[in-house]
Amino acid sequence: MLESNKDYAKLDAMKRIVGMIAKGKNASELFPAVVKNVASKNIEIKKLVYVYLMRYAEEQQDLALLSISTFQRALKDPNQLIRASALRVLSSIRVPIIVPIMMLAIKEASADLSPYVRKNAAHAIQKLYSLDPEQKEMLIEVIEKLLKDKSTLVAGSVVMAFEEVCPDRIDLIHKNYRKLCNLLVDVEEWGQVVIIHMLTRYARTQFVSPWKEDGVLDEDNEKDFYESDEEQKKKDQKVKKPYAMDPDHRLLIRNTKPLLQSRNAAVVMAVAQLYWHLAPKSEAGIVSKSLVRLLRSNREVQYIVLQNIATMSIQRKGMFEPYLKSFYVRSTDPTMIKTSKLEILTNLANEANISTLLREFQTYVKSQDKQFAAATIQAIGRCATNISEVTDTCLNGLVCLLSNRDEIVVAESVVVIKKLLQTQPAHHGEIIKHMAKLLDTITVPVARASILWLTGEYCERVPKIAPDVLRKMAKSFTNEDDLVKLQILNLGAKLYLTNSKQTKLLTQYILNLSKYDQSYDIRDRTRFIRQLIVPNEKSGALSKYAKKIFLAQKPAPLLESPFKDRDRFQLGTLSHTLNTKAIGYLELSNWPEVAPDPSVRNVEVIELGKEWSVALGKAKKEKPTEKFYSDSEEESASTTDTESESTSESEKEKNEKEEGSSMENSESSSSEELSDSESESKEGTAKKKFKTTEESDSDETEKKTKLISKKRKSSGSSDSESVSTEENSSDSESESDSESDAESRKPKNAAASKRKEMVMPEKKAPTKQDVSLLDLDDFNPVSTPVAFPTPAILSPSLVADLEGLSLSRSSVIDVSSPMFVPMKTHELLHRMSGKGLAAYYHFSRQPCIYGDQMVSVQVTLTNTTDQKLENIHIGERKLPAGMKMHVFNPIEFLEPEESITVSVGIDFCDSTQTASFQLCTKEDHFSVNIQPPVGELLLPVTMSEKDFKTEQGMLTGMNETSATITVAPQNSTRLVLLEKVVKAANLGVVPSGQDNIHRFAAKTVHSGSLMLVTVELKEGSTAQLIINTEKPVIGSVLLRELKPVLSQG
């Protein structure tokens, strides 16, 4: 079939072969026949051939080399999957002779337009490095280039290549650190794991420890005596300085937190280890819940997670104490998981929960799993040593276990009792006697050896029992295990030294037996003991101290967790699981005493507008600026002579201007039209400054507009096509300026033309009032009629036409001016954080000039330094999906102690989500955010009481939210109540025929959904607060905010 001339036969054959590979069958014999089809023109066949070659190219390297020219041609294939597959096959042929070809292919693929191909280039880097480590320097250059890639598809793979090739080159990460932190949430899961582990190592080298109480370690105080007074003063100042976390350190911790909800256990484990190694101890506790959630996974995942929790629980018990019951053992758990859970329960034991745990342990001792039962007895012993209050209880319980039928349980109990008795032997002579009697029944060597050691060590406390034990052991000496024989020898030696009358002969008999034992150890021990305790002519001075040697006070054994020393390895690694350093393990460095320079992570933002102005500098000098504006003014002035023709021309000209201004805005450069609209809110000193820079702004505007028009001509696109392109391409990056302009250009009827005629002449010399009228008319959609304080501009016929366009409801519901404009400002950027730049914002409650779906936010910028601040602008924006933002024009400079107010438009999408962005100066970037109160997401509307009731009747059931509240006495009067409500939310007052019912109405800024609020006063200072809206989430939030406003004085 592979030799067939028909493509469908070849395709069927390849599908069968790939199916064989998927089932684990060997298809390597078909390699020659398959490789012939690598040059097939059928894209489906080619894909399957490459899948096969990726599997067997490494095994059949000689045959694969014959087709290497085909692979090189495929690197230029227009299909990205073919290019990527060819690179993967090429990198799988592990022959040193093709290293230069591979190197060239990787370099070309790293610059490919497809992120999928660049991702495979990153994978190929690791293969090439393992084949030829001498290519390291060239590969590092490719890695450095790929690290700058902004695609989430590439990020994980290139970091993996970085970890494999040059993990010590931390300097490559500096400039990409913030980008990797921000991309982390969107990277594929296994890429997230790699990046998190790499960033953990990076953070340990670049930030100071967040675990220091006052910013310095306690050891510093030890050297105070030897230091001079000046050094001591400096140190005192240093001690008093509180710890302040680096913003980049905080960025990493904040951006990894959402990944605790990941469905991938490895990602959750990676974030947990990051918090453990990097986060302040007070914040590390949030990972415990996510780790406990992973205990519902399969047994392999459970085992790894439990191993890491066991290490954590030794140092910080409080993290997992609330989840104690999650670690109770289930009968279905395998032994490895049972013992891990038991270890954690033992670590978490304290005075408060020990009684519960001991009852749990009693059940575990009865388990059919003998290994687990033995581990439980050891856990009881550890609890007894760690918590002195329960030592006696545990000891009594273990003694009771000595009568258990199970020999393993009894043996383990003996071993643990032996260790416990060493802590306080004086009070437990009876237990030693009881254990000595068990020698007749216990056969486990370790248990027998433990009893003999106890008997010999405390033979003076059981003088009657010890000789008898030695007698019994002498009878069975030859049949005992080596471990037991050694303890019999020790017991004989100790009794010979303390009770030689009764045991002298017995000891000599045992020494004679052991003299001819098969074990070297026993024979050596016998010779040593004989020379030490039996005096003769050859005995040296050491025999005088035999009693001190054998009966010396021995320290009590420490019952420690086997996980105690594992914290030297990074959590979540193979080395931690194995408790030994694995190949390729990268150790975490210690925190630096002084943080390295954080400026190495700053990235210079190159603005496209500046690049254009440099590239077109000569053209700017040759062409005067007056022509562009004089033409537009002549066209706008000619509208008074010929109505229909001039209107269409002015519209075209204005469309070009608006397109130019929207493009300029997306490139973060100044615009004449936007500076006019913003001049309304600026202070006097700022106005003077903008007048002086007007010429340069207009030059730049002309230059960019001409460039845009050139592009439009060369692409052959019509005016209407460019408009539709603007509408389709608007997003959070390009704001919604072009979108709102395109919408405002849609109506072509006579009424719209008349309105533009009346407004355009006024644009020549705009006053504050004129600008506001222009903005409101131009930027509000026709489908929503708006009532303004100066309605003379709109003719009655125009209003009637606009009413006819409203399809949603029959009655006219007009947007009204706000009843109350709050003067309260919110801090956007503190002067200390902003290095002298202070920023405050407030909501003006006016329709936004940049778009009808945007909320208008007035931002006041103040220079509190004694130096001029330059190029103040908004940089990178991190907006939730759907949210849009229209920024202000860059401010060239701001003099010392000068303030300026600029306007920003934000489409919050009818939600209280935070809009995060960067406020930038020439040197610095500051992360700031704006979160709107729900009352500022509304525009007040006017309507009659009848219309209010009609709309309310349509918004019942799930669209209605209500609550009964207690109204403060001073708020029960009409005027006070109205004032309180309109201050809290931007609502319009609806006339009411009843004194006890107050109605308010508004619509949401984004969707235009009605928001109807009713306050009905009842008897006894109670009131019913009802909100009807299509947006129940916003309604419930508004209800929650209005309740305290009315109930408090």
Side-chain angles (χ1 to χ4, degrees):
M1 293 174 72
L2 290 171
E3 305 291 340
S4 172
N5 294 327
K6 304 293 184 183
D7 280 353
Y8 69 84
K10 292 181 180 179
L11 187 62
D12 187 40
M14 286 308 304
K15 285 181 179 177
R16 293 185 184 185
I17 293 170
V18 173
M20 289 170 60
I21 296 171
K23 292 177 182 177
K25 296 180 180 178
N26 186 13
S28 59
E29 296 176 359
L30 300 170
F31 193 92
V34 173
V35 81
K36 290 178 184 176
N37 293 291
V38 75
S40 173
K41 293 182 179 178
N42 187 307
I43 193 72
E44 296 300 324
I45 295 175
K46 191 178 281 192
K47 286 180 186 176
L48 293 174
V49 168
Y50 276 116
V51 170
Y52 177 89
L53 291 176
M54 279 184 275
R55 171 66 180 81
Y56 289 109
E58 198 165 344
E59 297 177 14
Q60 305 278 348
Q61 292 177 357
D62 294 337
L63 286 171
L65 278 172
L66 298 175
S67 303
I68 198 161
S69 59
T70 310
F71 302 145
Q72 286 181 280
R73 283 198 303 273
L75 291 171
K76 306 291 184 183
D77 195 278
N79 189 311
Q80 61 173 349
L81 296 176
I82 299 300
R83 296 200 302 275
S85 299
L87 182 61
R88 291 173 72 179
V89 173
L90 199 60
S91 60
S92 298
I93 304 173
R94 304 181 61 78
V95 178
I97 197 171
I98 66 163
V99 165
I101 298 174
M102 283 176 63
M103 191 71 236
L104 187 62
I106 290 171
K107 283 185 175 179
E108 290 180 357
S110 66
D112 197 281
L113 293 175
S114 167
Y116 181 67
V117 178
R118 300 199 298 272
K119 176 188 178 76
N120 281 278
H123 291 163
I125 288 172
Q126 303 166 58
K127 295 181 181 179
L128 180 55
Y129 178 71
S130 63
L131 180 62
D132 185 7
E134 293 180 2
Q135 302 290 327
K136 181 174 180 178
E137 291 304 319
M138 296 178 71
L139 291 174
I140 288 175
E141 292 177 11
V142 181
I143 290 172
E144 186 174 8
K145 181 180 177 182
L146 287 174
L147 278 171
K148 297 174 183 175
D149 201 306
K150 295 182 179 179
S151 172
T152 54
L153 200 62
V154 182
S157 301
V158 69
V159 170
M160 188 68 223
F162 170 82
E163 292 281 82
E164 190 74 24
V165 178
C166 52
D168 53 333
R169 287 290 303 275
I170 294 294
D171 57 295
L172 298 180
I173 305 298
H174 290 323
K175 298 291 184 186
N176 303 293
Y177 171 80
R178 292 169 186 163
K179 183 195 72 178
L180 288 172
C181 289
N182 292 323
L183 288 181
L184 196 55
V185 178
D186 299 319
V187 175
E188 44 91 20
E189 291 171 340
W190 295 110
Q192 288 174 344
V193 175
V194 175
I195 293 173
I196 290 171
H197 278 281
M198 185 274 291
L199 291 178
T200 304
R201 288 195 307 107
Y202 176 86
R204 285 293 285 257
T205 63
Q206 299 300 310
F207 309 126
V208 295
S209 172
W211 306 332
K212 298 177 183 178
E213 288 293 327
D214 294 315
V216 291
L217 293 172
D218 294 337
E219 294 122 14
D220 291 348
N221 296 331
E222 296 176 8
K223 299 179 183 179
D224 289 349
F225 180 80
Y226 302 99
E227 291 174 352
S228 65
D229 294 340
E230 291 181 4
E231 289 175 337
Q232 185 63 37
K233 286 178 182 177
K234 288 180 182 178
K235 181 162 286 189
D236 291 341
Q237 291 174 0
K238 191 178 178 183
V239 170
K240 291 175 184 176
K241 184 180 177 181
Y243 168 74
M245 182 178 284
D246 189 293
D248 289 328
H249 192 173
R250 173 59 63 194
L251 175 71
L252 176 59
I253 292 173
R254 184 174 66 244
N255 284 15
T256 51
K257 184 177 179 180
L259 298 181
L260 288 171
Q261 308 300 323
S262 175
R263 63 184 179 179
N264 189 310
V267 176
V268 178
M269 192 63 245
V271 178
Q273 66 83 25
L274 182 140
Y275 266 77
W276 177 258
H277 292 298
L278 300 182
K281 293 184 179 179
S282 58
E283 297 179 25
I286 64 169
V287 305
S288 52
K289 187 174 183 180
S290 300
L291 290 175
V292 170
R293 173 173 62 86
L294 294 182
L295 297 181
R296 303 191 189 102
S297 308
N298 55 58
R299 57 178 62 183
E300 292 80 12
V301 173
Q302 284 186 58
Y303 178 68
I304 298 298
V305 172
L306 288 168
Q307 294 264 305
N308 288 278
I309 292 176
T311 302
M312 293 180 182
S313 60
I314 293 173
Q315 293 185 19
R316 304 179 196 171
K317 292 185 179 182
M319 282 177 62
F320 296 98
E321 280 181 355
Y323 308 99
L324 188 70
K325 291 185 179 179
S326 300
F327 304 110
Y328 284 175
V329 175
R330 295 186 177 91
S331 57
T332 54
D333 287 338
T335 304
M336 61 181 184
I337 289 176
K338 285 180 180 177
T339 51
S340 298
K341 285 185 174 180
L342 189 65
E343 181 64 35
I344 295 168
L345 289 174
T346 310
N347 292 340
L348 298 179
N350 56 33
E351 293 84 352
N353 58 29
I354 186 63
S355 57
T356 308
L357 290 179
L358 287 177
R359 284 198 298 271
E360 192 75 13
F361 290 165
Q362 285 176 8
T363 309
Y364 299 164
V365 169
K366 300 173 186 174
S367 171
Q368 296 299 314
D369 186 343
K370 303 308 174 190
Q371 183 182 347
F372 173 57
T376 304
I377 294 171
Q378 292 178 8
I380 294 172
R382 275 180 55 199
C383 290
T385 55
N386 295 337
I387 305 170
S388 56
E389 289 83 357
V390 295
T391 302
D392 293 338
T393 308
C394 292
L395 200 54
N396 293 335
L398 290 171
V399 171
C400 293
L401 290 176
L402 295 176
S403 57
N404 196 295
R405 294 179 183 177
D406 194 330
E407 192 174 337
I408 294 176
V409 173
V410 175
E412 196 65 40
S413 301
V414 169
V415 175
V416 174
I417 288 172
K418 170 211 163 190
K419 294 177 180 177
L420 289 178
L421 288 179
Q422 282 184 259
T423 59
Q424 39 185 351
H427 308 293
H428 301 294
E430 292 299 320
I431 296 176
I432 296 172
K433 292 177 183 177
H434 180 66
M435 291 173 69
K437 295 175 183 176
L438 295 173
L439 277 172
D440 297 333
T441 56
I442 294 176
T443 58
V444 178
V446 178
R448 292 175 69 84
S450 297
I451 295 173
L452 291 171
W453 185 90
L454 275 175
T455 309
E457 186 69 17
Y458 306 113
C459 57
E460 294 178 351
R461 291 190 174 83
V462 282
K464 296 180 180 179
I465 301 247
D468 197 46
V469 169
L470 185 62
R471 179 181 60 79
K472 288 183 178 180
M473 290 296 101
K475 286 183 181 179
S476 59
F477 183 86
T478 54
N479 300 323
E480 297 288 350
D481 188 87
D482 287 355
L483 185 65
V484 180
K485 288 179 179 178
L486 288 172
Q487 291 303 328
I488 294 172
L489 283 171
N490 286 343
L491 175 62
K494 290 173 183 176
L495 288 175
Y496 185 92
L497 294 170
T498 57
N499 189 4
S500 57
K501 290 182 181 179
Q502 286 183 294
T503 59
K504 185 176 181 179
L505 294 175
L506 268 176
T507 304
Q508 288 178 349
Y509 172 71
I510 292 170
L511 289 173
N512 289 332
L513 285 176
S514 57
K515 183 178 179 180
Y516 304 102
D517 196 88
Q518 293 180 353
S519 172
Y520 291 103
D521 291 337
I522 294 170
R523 295 203 298 271
D524 288 346
R525 178 71 64 88
T526 303
R527 294 190 192 97
F528 167 70
I529 290 175
R530 189 187 292 275
Q531 291 297 321
L532 199 61
I533 64 172
V534 181
N536 54 32
E537 295 176 358
K538 296 180 181 180
S539 296
L542 200 62
S543 59
K544 299 177 183 177
Y545 306 102
K547 193 168 185 178
K548 289 184 178 180
I549 293 172
F550 277 101
L551 299 174
Q553 188 70 32
K554 299 174 181 65
L558 293 174
L559 298 176
E560 293 180 340
S561 168
F563 290 86
K564 185 181 179 184
D565 296 327
R566 289 201 188 187
D567 57 353
R568 69 182 187 275
F569 297 113
Q570 185 177 350
L571 292 185
T573 59
L574 178 64
S575 299
H576 176 270
T577 304
L578 299 177
N579 198 22
T580 185
K581 189 173 181 179
I583 297 173
Y585 173 72
L586 300 171
E587 291 187 357
L588 280 179
S589 60
N590 294 324
W591 294 101
E593 286 297 319
V594 179
D597 183 15
S599 64
V600 295
R601 291 185 289 277
N602 293 341
V603 181
E604 293 181 7
V605 179
I606 301 173
E607 296 184 7
L608 294 178
K610 291 184 178 179
E611 290 181 351
W612 287 5
S613 62
V614 172
L616 301 177
K618 293 180 180 179
K620 177 179 173 183
K621 291 177 182 177
E622 293 169 2
K623 297 184 181 181
T625 58
E626 283 104 71
K627 187 175 180 182
F628 179 80
Y629 290 105
S630 60
D631 288 347
S632 65
E633 287 171 2
E634 285 168 12
E635 283 182 14
S636 61
S638 65
T639 55
T640 56
D641 300 323
T642 55
E643 241 180 64
S644 59
E645 291 178 10
S646 62
T647 302
S648 62
E649 284 181 9
S650 63
E651 280 182 0
K652 286 181 182 178
E653 187 64 23
K654 186 178 176 186
N655 287 347
E656 288 182 5
K657 283 187 187 178
E658 287 172 341
E659 286 171 11
S661 66
S662 65
M663 286 291 292
E664 289 161 19
N665 181 50
S666 66
E667 300 295 344
S668 300
S669 55
S670 60
S671 162
E672 178 68 24
E673 183 181 347
L674 295 185
S675 64
D676 284 344
S677 63
E678 286 177 5
S679 63
E680 175 185 359
S681 59
K682 296 175 183 176
E683 295 187 4
T685 53
K687 286 181 184 176
K688 290 178 184 176
K689 181 190 68 181
F690 270 88
K691 284 177 183 177
T692 59
T693 58
E694 187 177 359
E695 254 187 56
S696 61
D697 287 350
S698 62
D699 288 346
E700 199 172 352
T701 306
E702 175 200 7
K703 178 176 53 188
K704 292 176 188 172
T705 309
K706 288 186 178 179
L707 184 62
I708 294 162
S709 63
K710 273 185 185 178
K711 288 184 179 180
R712 192 186 298 119
K713 286 177 184 176
S714 63
S715 62
S717 60
S718 65
D719 210 334
S720 60
E721 287 173 341
S722 66
V723 172
S724 63
T725 305
E726 279 184 353
E727 290 174 4
N728 294 332
S729 64
S730 63
D731 55 11
S732 61
E733 287 297 319
S734 61
E735 297 85 38
S736 63
D737 187 21
S738 58
E739 183 180 348
S740 61
D741 291 347
E743 287 180 2
S744 67
R745 289 196 297 273
K746 283 182 183 178
K748 299 289 184 181
N749 54 21
S753 301
K754 284 181 184 178
R755 185 184 62 170
K756 293 212 173 188
E757 270 185 308
M758 300 173 72
V759 174
M760 286 296 287
E762 294 181 351
K763 191 175 178 180
K764 291 181 182 179
T767 62
K768 285 189 177 182
Q769 186 179 2
D770 294 336
V771 171
S772 65
L773 291 175
L774 169 66
D775 295 338
L776 294 176
D777 281 345
D778 277 356
F779 290 89
N780 279 308
V782 178
S783 60
T784 309
V786 180
F788 295 106
T790 55
I793 293 176
L794 300 177
S795 62
S797 60
L798 178 58
V799 174
D801 290 341
L802 297 180
E803 286 179 11
L805 290 173
S806 181
L807 303 175
S808 59
R809 46 183 75 85
S810 59
S811 59
V812 179
I813 299 174
D814 297 334
V815 174
S816 63
S817 55
M819 300 290 295
F820 175 83
V821 178
M823 300 308 295
K824 180 184 177 183
T825 59
H826 309 271
E827 186 178 75
L828 184 65
L829 180 65
H830 191 269
R831 61 186 179 83
M832 298 297 289
S833 305
K835 297 183 180 178
L837 177 64
Y840 297 87
Y841 69 92
H842 73 277
F843 298 92
S844 63
R845 291 193 175 181
Q846 297 293 338
C848 184
I849 61 175
Y850 304 126
D852 61 304
Q853 294 184 333
M854 290 189 169
V855 176
S856 180
V857 184
Q858 301 295 319
V859 180
T860 302
L861 305 168
T862 306
N863 181 1
T864 63
T865 66
D866 55 358
Q867 296 179 351
K868 183 166 64 174
L869 293 176
E870 297 181 356
N871 191 21
I872 302 173
H873 62 281
I874 287 179
E876 184 183 359
R877 279 153 277 175
K878 302 168 189 173
L879 306 176
M883 191 181 288
K884 300 170 187 175
M885 182 175 180
H886 190 293
V887 302
F888 59 85
N889 295 329
I891 299 168
E892 291 189 6
F893 59 86
L894 194 60
E895 296 290 348
E897 304 302 325
E898 189 180 63
S899 294
I900 183 170
T901 302
V902 291
S903 180
V904 175
I906 304 176
D907 182 358
F908 287 103
C909 298
D910 291 347
S911 72
T912 55
Q913 294 183 86
T914 301
S916 300
F917 55 93
Q918 285 190 338
L919 187 60
C920 309
T921 61
K922 187 177 180 180
E923 283 91 16
D924 299 296
H925 306 267
F926 309 106
S927 296
V928 296
N929 53 69
I930 296 176
Q931 184 171 19
V934 70
E936 305 301 336
L937 301 176
L938 308 173
L939 285 175
V941 297
T942 58
M943 62 169 68
S944 64
E945 185 176 6
K946 180 181 177 182
D947 289 339
F948 184 95
K949 291 180 178 178
T950 304
E951 296 292 345
Q952 191 178 33
M954 297 164 62
L955 296 170
T956 55
M958 293 183 68
N959 295 325
E960 183 173 288
T961 311
S962 63
T964 303
I965 58 173
T966 303
V967 180
Q970 59 269 39
N971 295 342
S972 57
T973 61
R974 178 177 177 78
L975 290 176
V976 175
L977 190 142
L978 294 181
E979 182 186 356
K980 290 275 187 183
V981 173
V982 297
K983 274 186 180 180
N986 193 14
L987 298 168
V989 179
V990 178
S992 176
Q994 298 165 280
D995 293 336
N996 65 322
I997 297 179
H998 307 282
R999 297 185 175 91
F1000 307 88
K1003 70 170 188 175
T1004 57
V1005 176
H1006 175 78
S1007 61
S1009 303
L1010 275 179
M1011 181 77 65
L1012 307 178
V1013 180
T1014 307
V1015 181
E1016 185 177 355
L1017 299 175
K1018 306 274 189 181
E1019 295 180 0
S1021 72
T1022 60
Q1024 183 80 5
L1025 181 58
I1026 305 170
I1027 296 179
N1028 301 82
T1029 180
E1030 294 173 358
K1031 301 278 186 178
V1033 176
I1034 296 184
S1036 60
V1037 175
L1038 182 61
L1039 182 77
R1040 195 162 61 243
E1041 290 192 6
L1042 287 179
K1043 282 165 67 177
V1045 170
L1046 297 175
S1047 59
Q1048 296 173 6

